[in-house]
Amino acid sequence: MNDIQGYQNGPIESGARRAKEMSPRAYNLAMSALIFLGFCAMGAGAYFTGTMSFARMMMSGAALPLVFGSFILTIVGIVMMSAAASKQSVGLSLAGYAIFASTFGLTASFGLANYDLPTINTAFIATAAITFVFGALGVTFPKFFQRVYGIGFGILLATILVEIVLMFMGVSQTITDLIVIVVFAGFIGYDTYVATTVPSTLPNAVLMASNLFVDIINVFLRILNILGRRD
């Protein structure tokens, strides 16, 4: 999931044929609603993965095709949203987000299976607080987040490599979880700032919402990992 972020931050061509611009309030409301729908898709995925039908499907050897297919469709959704932002196509952007949110939400929901509801609620509240704080910081100190964005990507890639090594060694990865939380919190700040710099059209709101959704979900899942180790 971490790798998806790199696909989503392509340039938005503000000079292309535009969809109708929205008011700032409607633009922010649209982004918030789309992120909420992403969480709804994740919740639906968590419900589906907890059913006996899903368990039987996994036992039949469908796990790998499902994960691979979800990943491919997630990329397809991202490409559609990026193209829609360039062309300012409302229909294409919404279709891309529907594909992205349903497949990425399903994949992310796999991470919820091992946690009880109180732990999930605690992680959600902590994630909401981080999102609010770093979103506000991103708007207040945009130059700082612009400078550290590239550094954050480098740290993220290095951390993923370390995690792979630690995973094979069977070593606890709490420290790497904390690093990833900090990096994606920085991405929240940066993407919140970027969302204020593009024309307030629905296709742009869709793309910005998908960026933030990836950031938020990564923070959420890493907090869950940390809380789960304490139980």
Side-chain angles (χ1 to χ4, degrees), residues 1-220:
M1 287 177 280
N2 298 330
D3 298 336
I4 294 174
Q5 182 76 18
Y7 289 92
Q8 292 182 282
N9 288 289
I12 297 175
E13 298 179 11
S14 57
R17 179 175 57 86
R18 295 185 181 182
K20 183 179 179 181
E21 290 203 18
M22 310 159 67
S23 68
R25 178 177 296 181
Y27 177 71
N28 292 329
L29 182 60
M31 284 196 297
S32 299
L34 289 164
I35 292 171
F36 174 74
L37 289 174
F39 272 100
C40 289
M42 185 177 177
Y47 175 80
F48 171 65
T49 56
T51 62
M52 289 300 299
S53 298
F54 180 79
R56 287 193 292 268
M57 185 172 67
M58 292 297 97
M59 293 175 63
S60 68
L64 184 59
L66 177 64
V67 172
F68 182 74
S70 295
F71 178 77
I72 294 299
L73 286 175
T74 298
I75 299 300
V76 169
I78 291 169
V79 171
M80 289 173 64
M81 289 184 291
S82 297
S86 296
K87 299 176 182 179
Q88 289 299 292
S89 170
V90 173
L92 183 62
S93 67
L94 292 176
Y97 191 80
I99 295 172
F100 161 79
S102 57
T103 54
F104 183 74
L106 174 63
T107 304
S109 71
F110 294 158
L112 304 181
N114 298 323
Y115 305 101
D116 56 23
L117 187 58
T119 302
I120 293 173
N121 288 338
T122 301
F124 184 82
I125 293 171
T127 303
I130 290 172
T131 301
F132 176 80
V133 170
F134 277 84
L137 290 173
V139 175
T140 307
F141 305 103
K143 291 184 179 179
F144 170 79
F145 286 92
Q146 285 178 296
R147 286 196 298 266
V148 302
Y149 181 75
I151 298 172
F153 254 114
I155 293 173
L156 180 61
L157 292 175
T159 303
I160 292 172
L161 292 176
V162 170
E163 282 189 316
I164 293 172
V165 174
L166 292 177
M167 180 179 65
F168 284 108
M169 295 174 62
V171 178
S172 175
Q173 301 181 23
T174 300
I175 294 177
T176 56
D177 281 332
L178 289 171
I179 293 172
V180 172
I181 289 171
V182 171
V183 170
F184 274 101
F187 288 166
I188 289 172
Y190 175 81
D191 286 329
T192 302
Y193 155 69
V194 171
T196 67
T197 65
V198 298
S200 55
T201 62
L202 185 55
N204 288 346
V206 169
L207 186 62
M208 293 297 100
S210 67
N211 286 342
L212 286 166
F213 183 57
V214 171
D215 300 336
I216 294 168
I217 287 298
N218 275 279
V219 170
F220 174 66

